Amino acid sequence: MKIMDILIRDAVILDLGIRGKRDVLAEMAAALAKVEPQIEADRLLEVLEEREALQSTGIGEGVAIPHGKLAGLDRLVASFARSREGIDFDSIDGQPTHHFFLLVVPEHSGGQYLKALARISRFFRDSDFRQKLADAESLEDAVRTIEEEDAKL
Amino acid sequence: MKIVIVGGGLVGTTLAERLTRDQHDITLVDDDVERARKLSETLDVHVIGGNGAVVGVLRRAGAETADLVIAMSNSDEANMIVGMLSLQLFDVPRIVVRLQDPGMKECFDFMAKDRTERCVYVNPDQAAADRIAQLLEVPGAMDVVSFMDGQLLVAGFRIGESSDLAGLRVEDMNLVLFAKNPTKAVAIHRMDDWIIPHGNDQIEVDDLVYFAIDREHLEGMLALVDVHHDDRRDLMIAGAGAIGQELVRRLGTGERREVLIEENEAIAKQAAETLPGAIVLHGRVTDQALLEEEDIQNVSTFVAVTPDHETNLVAGFLAKRLGAGRVVALVDNPDLVPLVSQIGIDAIISPRVLVIGLTLEQIRGGRIRSVAQLLEDRIEIVDVEASPRTVLTSGTLSEIKLPSGVLVAALLRDEKLLLPGGSDRIEPGDRVLLITTTENAPKLDDFLAE
C-alpha cells in the first residue's frame, strides 16, 4: 500500500503553532473534515481522543501517529501536520512532538489499517526522512518528501 | 533431580545435554556399547553401556534412588520394560515412556496397575500430528504453537524484503499497531541467533519473527505479514503412516481432494481401508510424474511425513517446484535444518524437539502447565499459573525485575487474554505465558519457585 494513495494533500498543516495535545487533534480533524465530506470533525476528534486515552500514539523522536476507525468512511485517509516548536503529546520518550501523521480508516479494515500504520511508523524510523520533513519550506516540499519515501520502500 | 535416561539416540542425548545444563544429575544408558563409549567422551554426563531393560543395568544406573526415569529408546517394548521395572521394582516416583504405537498404552496401563498416575507417555507421531495441525491453521506461518486453550497463538513469520514491518522497532508495533488488538512480538530468529526482543530492538528483513496473537485478531496479522489468500484447496500427504493418517482425520474436510502417497504397499492398503474419504496411492513420494499426475499444481498444502526425513526434504522440494502452495516437512536432523529454506520448504516439524518439550514439561512440574519449544530447542515457552507466593505477583512487571532474556508474552485472566506492558501487574491465579531462551530457562525456574 502506498501512503500517497491515501494522503489528503489539502488537509496537510505545515505550521501548527504552540498548543496542547487536544488542539492538535482538533485542528487536524477539522482540516480533514473540511475536504472530506464523509468525515465529521467532532466525531473524529472523539475517536482519536479515545485512542490516545488508551495510550499515547507519540512513538518518540518527535513523532506521533494518531489514528482511529470511523463509521461511514469508505476508504483509508491520512494527513500530516507539523509543529516547528514541538508539542507535549505524552510521547513515550517524554520529548516534544513535531510530526503528526493522522490515519483514519473505515470500521472494518483490519489488515489494511495495520499495514498503513506499519508503513507510516517505518517512514519515521528513518532520521533523514524526519529531518527532511522538518526542513520542508512549503507544502509541496513536505508532500514531495513523503512521496519520495513512499517510492523508496 | 536425579534422572536416568535410557536410549542414547538423538532424543536421549539432547535431553541429557539439556538437563545437565539445568543442573540435574543425569545418567544415560545405551545398549550400543560402542555408542555409549563415544557418548561418554562427548557428553558431560555419566554414561552406561548396557541394555536398560536388564535389572542389573538399571540398578547400576541408579534407578533405585532416581527421581525420574525417562525411557526414550526406539523400541516401544524396551521402553515398556524399562518403565515397568522402574515403577514396580525400583519404585521410581515418576517415569516418562516414549511409546510410538498408541496401542501399547493400554498394555502399559494394565501393567502399571495402581501406579498409572506416575507415568507419562510421549508419542512422537501424535505430537508431530498435533503440531502440524496447529501450523496449518495459520496460513503463511513457519511455526505455530497454541496456548491457553487455543485462545492464543504463537506464530513465526518470515519478514520479506517488501514487508512494512522491516525497520520497525518492537515498541513502534506495541504502541501503534497492537495497542488495540492483543498481539506482541515475542521472539526473533536472526541468522543463528535467537533474540527475546525489547522495545528498542528493530525488525530486519529475513528475520523470523514470532508473534503472540489473540486468535480473534489473526486476520489482521496475516495481512500485516503479507500472507495472501490461496484459492486452492487440495491436500497432499507424502507418507500414509500414523502421522499421515492422523492428519487426514484431523484436517480432512471431505470437500476437497485429499491424497496420500505411500511407498510401502501394506501400509498403503491399511490406510486406504481406514480412510475411506481419502485417495491413497501406492508409489514413490519423490516420483515427479506421479505428483504431476495427481495435480500437484492444485495442491494448497503438501505435507511430507515419511519416516525417512531426507526423503521428506526431497519430496517437499519437488512439490514446491511443481507448484504446490505451502510445503511442510518432517525433519529431525539438526544438520538438515539450514537446508530447508534454501530448497523452498515453508516449515518443518521436528518430532525430536516436540518430544523433548513434552518431557521437560514433566520435569518442570508444579504450576507449569506446558512447555513448548520453537523450531530448534533454543527457545522455551512456559505456560504457568501465577501463585501468590512467587515474585511474579509481587509488583508491576517493571518492578518484579524478570531475569534478562525472559519476557511475559501474555496473561489469561478470567478467560480474557491480555498482553501486558511494564506498568501492568500479574494477579494471583492468572495464567502467564513466559518466553525465554533455553540458556536462561534455569533462571526462570528459580524465579518461579515459591
Side-chain angles (χ1 to χ4, degrees):
Chain A
M1 173 199 290
K2 293 286 178 195
I3 295 303
M4 286 310 289
D5 297 340
I6 59 173
L7 183 73
I8 309 295
R9 206 182 263 259
D10 294 340
V12 173
I13 304 166
L14 222 48
D15 201 353
L16 281 162
I18 308 173
R19 274 181 263 165
K21 184 168 181 174
R22 187 167 203 274
D23 304 308
V24 173
L25 296 175
E27 191 163 338
M28 290 188 84
L32 208 49
K34 217 166 161 186
V35 283
E36 279 298 314
Q38 287 178 342
I39 292 176
E40 200 190 306
D42 289 350
R43 178 74 200 112
L44 176 56
L45 179 60
E46 208 176 297
V47 166
L48 295 176
E49 288 203 296
E50 228 170 79
R51 169 61 184 86
E52 294 298 326
L54 186 73
Q55 191 174 37
S56 173
T57 59
I59 58 171
E61 317 233 36
V63 179
I65 308 175
H67 56 270
K69 292 184 179 180
L70 206 59
L73 194 64
D74 64 6
R75 66 205 160 85
L76 287 76
V77 296
S79 78
F80 170 71
R82 189 181 68 180
S83 158
R84 286 198 186 275
E85 297 79 7
I87 286 163
D88 179 2
F89 209 75
D90 305 322
S91 72
I92 180 93
D93 60 1
Q95 298 299 310
T97 302
H98 298 275
H99 304 297
F100 303 87
F101 217 109
L102 174 68
L103 180 68
V104 193
V105 305
E107 247 182 331
H108 304 286
S109 54
Q112 287 302 308
Y113 184 23
L114 290 176
K115 275 184 83 70
L117 280 175
R119 192 165 177 82
I120 295 165
S121 311
R122 189 182 175 197
F123 282 8
F124 281 105
R125 275 294 140 229
D126 179 352
S127 58
D128 287 349
F129 174 72
R130 293 196 303 269
Q131 194 54 51
K132 267 195 207 159
L133 263 189
D135 294 343
E137 294 289 341
S138 63
L139 185 85
E140 282 68 37
D141 271 0
V143 171
R144 195 178 317 116
T145 303
I146 296 168
E147 197 170 8
E148 280 167 12
E149 194 73 9
D150 215 12
K152 211 156 65 181
L153 296 169
Chain B
M1 201 187 271
K2 187 171 174 184
I3 302 171
V4 176
I5 301 172
V6 178
L10 213 44
V11 176
T13 49
T14 314
L15 266 175
E17 271 178 303
R18 174 60 207 284
L19 293 171
T20 308
R21 210 166 54 208
D22 292 1
Q23 311 295 324
H24 293 290
D25 171 12
I26 306 296
T27 304
L28 181 64
V29 181
D30 195 83
D31 59 358
D32 182 334
V33 179
E34 182 51 25
R35 182 159 70 171
R37 195 186 56 76
K38 278 195 193 134
L39 287 175
S40 70
E41 281 166 13
T42 53
L43 292 179
D44 190 20
V45 299
H46 185 209
V47 184
I48 289 180
N51 183 352
V54 169
V55 174
V57 175
L58 263 189
R59 182 170 283 131
R60 235 180 347 122
E64 271 166 319
T65 52
D67 300 295
L68 172 73
V69 170
I70 302 173
M72 284 288 153
S73 81
N74 285 325
S75 152
D76 280 6
E77 288 77 6
N79 290 339
M80 209 144 84
I81 294 170
V82 170
M84 205 48 53
L85 290 174
S86 304
L87 201 61
Q88 304 295 7
L89 185 64
F90 297 118
D91 199 18
V92 177
R94 202 159 184 78
I95 61 168
V96 177
V97 180
R98 172 184 148 146
L99 292 180
Q100 195 97 24
D101 182 347
M104 297 291 259
K105 186 184 170 298
E106 200 182 339
C107 175
F108 196 87
D109 278 344
F110 174 72
M111 295 203 286
K113 296 202 184 86
D114 57 341
R115 292 181 171 174
T116 46
E117 77 284 354
R118 294 194 197 175
C119 314
V120 174
Y121 313 101
V122 177
N123 180 330
D125 290 347
Q126 195 71 38
D130 276 344
R131 191 72 171 256
I132 294 171
Q134 288 178 22
L135 177 71
L136 295 183
E137 226 189 308
V138 184
M142 309 251 326
D143 191 13
V144 178
V145 199
S146 75
F147 294 93
M148 304 191 161
D149 312 316
Q151 271 196 66
L152 182 81
L153 300 166
V154 174
F157 296 95
R158 181 76 65 198
I159 303 300
E161 213 157 301
S162 61
S163 168
D164 288 319
L165 293 179
L168 286 194
R169 294 178 321 155
V170 167
E171 192 148 77
D172 299 334
M173 297 197 285
N174 292 344
L175 289 176
V176 180
L177 298 182
F178 304 141
K180 273 194 153 172
N181 49 343
T183 307
K184 192 172 185 173
V186 294
I188 301 172
H189 188 200
R190 179 176 301 160
M191 310 294 282
D192 280 330
D193 288 329
W194 282 93
I195 303 162
I196 302 290
H198 295 283
N200 274 327
D201 284 313
Q202 213 163 23
I203 306 284
E204 292 178 8
V205 170
D206 271 346
D207 279 357
L208 173 60
V209 182
Y210 281 81
F211 294 95
I213 310 161
D214 183 341
R215 185 184 291 267
E216 285 175 25
H217 289 92
L218 185 58
E219 283 303 314
M221 190 64 218
L222 293 179
L224 196 54
V225 289
D226 298 310
V227 173
H228 301 293
H229 186 70
D230 186 352
D231 285 330
R232 299 174 294 180
R233 300 195 312 172
D234 291 359
L235 171 69
M236 190 179 281
I237 300 175
I243 305 176
Q245 292 185 26
E246 181 64 21
L247 281 175
V248 173
R249 272 192 286 273
R250 287 183 192 212
L251 307 169
T253 57
E255 288 162 13
R256 58 176 173 186
R257 244 171 90 83
E258 283 145 13
V259 180
L260 288 122
I261 302 173
E262 172 60 51
E263 301 192 8
N264 180 306
E265 196 172 357
I267 295 176
K269 219 171 145 201
Q270 183 265 336
E273 279 161 17
T274 35
L275 303 168
I279 302 159
V280 184
L281 301 168
H282 172 219
R284 275 192 311 118
V285 301
T286 50
D287 180 346
Q288 187 165 336
L290 178 63
L291 295 180
E292 279 174 320
E293 218 169 279
E294 291 306 316
D295 290 334
I296 184 84
Q297 72 282 355
N298 286 332
V299 166
S300 69
T301 309
F302 181 89
V303 189
V305 287
T306 76
D308 181 345
H309 295 182
E310 282 174 31
T311 300
N312 291 342
L313 279 184
V314 177
F317 167 73
L318 275 176
K320 194 73 183 186
R321 220 190 46 185
L322 296 174
R326 195 173 183 200
V327 174
V328 181
L330 202 67
V331 177
D332 241 351
N333 185 343
D335 298 335
L336 295 176
V337 173
L339 279 175
V340 170
S341 52
Q342 287 173 30
I343 63 179
I345 288 174
D346 299 295
I348 54 160
I349 301 289
S350 163
R352 176 180 58 94
V353 171
L354 299 177
V355 165
I356 290 167
L358 290 170
T359 309
L360 287 178
E361 217 165 280
Q362 301 310 315
I363 295 161
R364 313 293 281 285
R367 288 172 182 268
I368 294 179
R369 298 207 188 199
S370 67
V371 178
Q373 300 195 320
L374 300 183
L375 277 185
E376 300 161 41
D377 44 9
R378 288 166 57 195
I379 289 275
E380 210 169 272
I381 308 179
V382 178
D383 177 357
V384 61
E385 196 176 306
S387 150
R389 292 182 298 278
T390 57
V391 192
L392 219 48
T393 51
S394 64
T396 64
L397 285 185
S398 17
E399 283 164 4
I400 61 174
K401 301 222 170 9
L402 284 157
S404 66
V406 176
L407 178 88
V408 174
L411 301 177
L412 190 68
R413 180 178 302 159
D414 303 326
E415 291 178 19
K416 205 172 146 24
L417 194 66
L418 309 164
L419 299 186
S423 58
D424 294 309
R425 56 170 68 229
I426 297 171
E427 305 282 352
D430 284 355
R431 281 193 47 196
V432 188
L433 199 73
L434 294 139
I435 302 208
T436 176
T437 52
T438 47
E439 302 98 82
N440 288 312
K443 279 198 272 173
L444 177 61
D445 279 354
D446 293 343
F447 194 77
L448 293 176
E450 296 193 357

